[in-house]
Amino acid sequence: MVNPINNDDAALMLSKFGTKYLAEGAHTDVSASQFVAQAATTLTVLTGGDAAISDNNKNYLASMSLGSVELKAGALIVAPNGESFKSITVATGGALVAYNSVIEGIKPGSFVGLLDTYPDAAAAYSLRRLRTEYSGSAIRVRRTDNTEQDIGFVNNELDTVSLLSFVGSGNGFVVKWYDQSTGNDMGNGIQTTATLQPKIVDSGSVTLENELPVIKFDDSGMDFESLITNSTVRTVFAAFNTSGTAEQQVFINGDFDSKRMQCSLYRSGAGKLGFASTLKASASPDVGGDIATGQSLISAIQTTTSLEGYINASSVSDSNSSRGGAGINNIGYQVSGVRHLIGGFSEYIIYNSDQSADRSAIETNINGFYSIY
Amino acid sequence: MEGYKFKTEQEAINALKQVNDKVNFPEGSVTTSWTTYNFAASNKPSFYYIASDKFTDTILKGKELFEVVYSEN
């Protein structure tokens, strides 16, 4: 999608086209369900299409105040579900200036989630929507008066407006991290103990990493309601960040029978991350590599004969061992209450299958959203 | 760490109940407990403990500073 005004200087575009708005033929890759305003305008009437303009994809709006629906130069209106704009009345300074007659079309860039393209995850947790047909919430949040509320998505990202409206100026803690997979093997991430719940709102502000919401773990952690089915073949992707210098648990997944796949920081020294797995049938070395503070994407693939680790899409092969010890599913801490992750999690996806063929593409998808490396 | 040590699990359970009795979680809440207790299995002698936090500190008495020995696994 290219918005011509965003690509060229506005004055140049005015000179080039000489009208208050672009003719359909002047649009570049703009389909018929879109309207481009070239100058600051006020949308006074919207008929046809979807009247719920507030639901439009914000990615295509340069600026919009929903009371008078004021559009700034370069703003692009897109019908939420590809509805036609049969008639749009645009005014500047209260004076009617034009009717846009662009009709019929399909919303560009229809949402495709990571799990739509790479399905069959055993469990999938994220602060963005991962699957088109997933209609549940992202997280359940507890505010300081101990009231809880589910928080969903807007435009396929965490609904931070509802989140802040609910939490107010205090702190908000994540009680549940909902599983967006088909939910056959593993339940929702859950923490029933208040003092162990990770944070999503800190003094009235959403916790962020790279300008995107992140669940902050600090002396906290999250278990999973039900146990993932053990599999001798498993692939894990995790977008997380660390700011601490002590040993920290990143994740453990497995069962109570001591079969598990795990990842931790710093067992082999500061700045080191290690993966280990007891699920593979034959012994192969634990692997790890150097890791910096800040956000990282880590991936691990175990088969019956091997364990591969990746940090920011690069293979790691140091013989760093992961610290584990608890044969239970959790992220951010051990069940014994030590070595907490000092950092945050944005996404955590587990496949009970070998995703070697799609590993690079999945990493690209995750990095494309979070801009990690 | 700062917290409260107990020789037996029952003592820890009783202390935890003392804290939770002061908290009101609305009906239907997923959150069921304010804090929790852990077992310092590798310490000699071993003990149970509840970590310090602002709310717990208002209820339990005898906070002390101690180390929890990590297991090597």
Side-chain angles (χ1 to χ4, degrees):
Chain A
M1 170 53 54
V2 176
N3 182 335
I5 292 180
N6 285 341
N7 283 354
D8 281 326
D9 178 80
L12 173 66
M13 297 303 293
L14 281 166
S15 169
K16 188 183 296 184
F17 295 103
T19 61
K20 285 288 184 183
Y21 53 101
L22 299 177
E24 185 179 7
H27 296 177
T28 304
D29 291 340
V30 174
S31 68
S33 64
Q34 306 149 19
F35 174 84
V36 179
Q38 188 166 2
T41 57
T42 300
L43 187 67
T44 55
V45 179
L46 174 63
T47 58
D50 190 334
I53 197 74
S54 61
D55 290 335
N56 280 354
N57 191 326
K58 68 178 181 182
N59 293 331
Y60 301 106
L61 299 177
S63 175
M64 173 175 282
S65 75
L66 296 177
S68 59
V69 193
E70 181 184 4
L71 301 177
K72 298 295 177 60
L76 174 61
I77 306 167
V78 180
N81 297 304
E83 301 89 337
S84 300
F85 285 156
K86 293 179 181 175
S87 172
I88 298 176
T89 304
V90 178
T92 56
L96 189 68
V97 294
Y99 288 92
N100 181 288
S101 60
V102 178
I103 59 170
E104 306 294 340
I106 299 172
K107 180 185 180 183
S110 296
F111 173 73
V112 178
L114 186 152
L115 295 182
D116 293 319
T117 308
Y118 310 103
D120 302 324
Y125 309 88
S126 183
L127 297 177
R128 60 171 174 157
R129 192 191 305 275
L130 294 174
R131 193 160 57 89
T132 305
E133 293 187 356
Y134 179 71
S135 57
S137 297
I139 52 177
R140 184 171 181 84
V141 174
R142 177 181 63 86
R143 63 187 183 193
T144 47
D145 70 353
N146 292 324
T147 304
E148 297 175 1
Q149 181 173 299
D150 286 337
I151 302 295
F153 303 95
V154 168
N155 295 324
N156 305 307
E157 297 182 23
L158 186 68
D159 181 0
T160 54
V161 172
S162 295
L163 174 62
L164 291 179
S165 174
F166 170 65
V167 173
S169 59
N171 297 327
F173 302 91
V174 179
V175 171
K176 272 187 182 180
W177 200 358
Y178 287 100
D179 181 6
Q180 296 187 42
S181 76
T182 51
N184 292 327
D185 295 323
M186 191 173 178
N188 305 313
I190 189 167
Q191 181 51 265
T192 61
T193 299
T195 56
L196 297 182
Q197 288 163 351
K199 193 180 285 186
I200 187 70
V201 177
D202 186 8
S203 300
S205 298
V206 178
T207 53
L208 301 175
E209 184 70 26
N210 278 355
E211 300 181 352
L212 290 171
V214 66
I215 299 175
K216 285 287 187 184
F217 290 77
D218 186 357
D219 291 339
S220 58
M222 187 162 279
D223 291 320
F224 295 94
E225 263 183 334
S226 55
L227 299 172
I228 189 170
T229 304
N230 262 335
S231 170
T232 54
V233 180
R234 182 169 293 167
T235 306
V236 175
F237 300 91
F240 85 108
N241 68 84
T242 175
S243 58
T245 56
E247 287 191 46
Q248 299 165 51
Q249 196 67 50
V250 181
F251 66 74
I252 301 175
N253 55 64
D255 210 334
F256 281 111
D257 60 2
S258 296
K259 290 183 176 179
R260 58 182 181 263
M261 185 178 183
Q262 62 197 37
C263 176
S264 68
L265 291 160
Y266 303 147
R267 179 169 189 170
S268 302
K272 299 290 185 182
L273 177 138
F275 299 95
S277 174
T278 58
L279 288 158
K280 56 188 183 296
S282 59
S284 66
D286 294 336
V287 295
D290 296 338
I291 192 162
T293 56
Q295 197 168 29
S296 298
L297 168 59
I298 55 177
S299 318
I301 303 174
Q302 64 160 25
T303 68
T304 55
T305 57
S306 66
L307 175 64
E308 299 173 3
Y310 301 84
I311 299 175
N312 294 339
S314 295
S315 177
V316 291
S317 57
D318 292 354
S319 57
N320 295 341
S321 181
S322 168
R323 182 86 70 175
I328 191 171
N329 295 293
N330 62 47
I331 54 176
Y333 81 137
Q334 283 192 311
V335 289
S336 56
V338 296
R339 304 191 191 104
H340 303 91
L341 173 66
I342 310 297
F345 255 88
S346 306
E347 198 157 287
Y348 181 47
I349 302 172
I350 302 167
Y351 293 88
N352 275 352
S353 56
D354 183 350
Q355 294 291 315
S356 293
D358 290 328
R359 176 191 57 81
S360 180
I362 292 172
E363 289 168 339
T364 298
N365 180 296
I366 296 171
N367 188 54
F369 185 79
Y370 293 104
S371 302
I372 297 170
Y373 54 89
Chain B
M1 66 178 298
E2 281 192 310
Y4 304 87
K5 292 172 66 176
F6 308 96
K7 290 179 180 175
T8 67
E9 184 172 18
Q10 190 57 54
E11 289 176 352
I13 291 170
N14 293 343
L16 181 60
K17 183 177 185 306
Q18 199 178 336
V19 175
N20 282 334
D21 283 348
K22 300 290 185 183
V23 187
N24 177 37
F25 295 114
E27 192 174 339
S29 295
V30 173
T31 309
T32 55
S33 180
W34 179 259
T35 186
T36 190
Y37 66 87
N38 285 293
F39 182 47
S42 298
N43 284 66
K44 301 297 180 185
S46 59
F47 58 88
Y48 293 85
Y49 65 95
I50 292 176
S52 166
D53 71 85
K54 284 183 179 178
F55 179 73
T56 300
D57 289 349
T58 65
I59 299 166
L60 300 183
K61 304 298 179 189
K63 184 169 71 173
E64 54 189 303
L65 191 63
F66 54 85
E67 285 193 16
V68 175
V69 177
Y70 297 164
S71 62
E72 283 306 308
N73 55 12

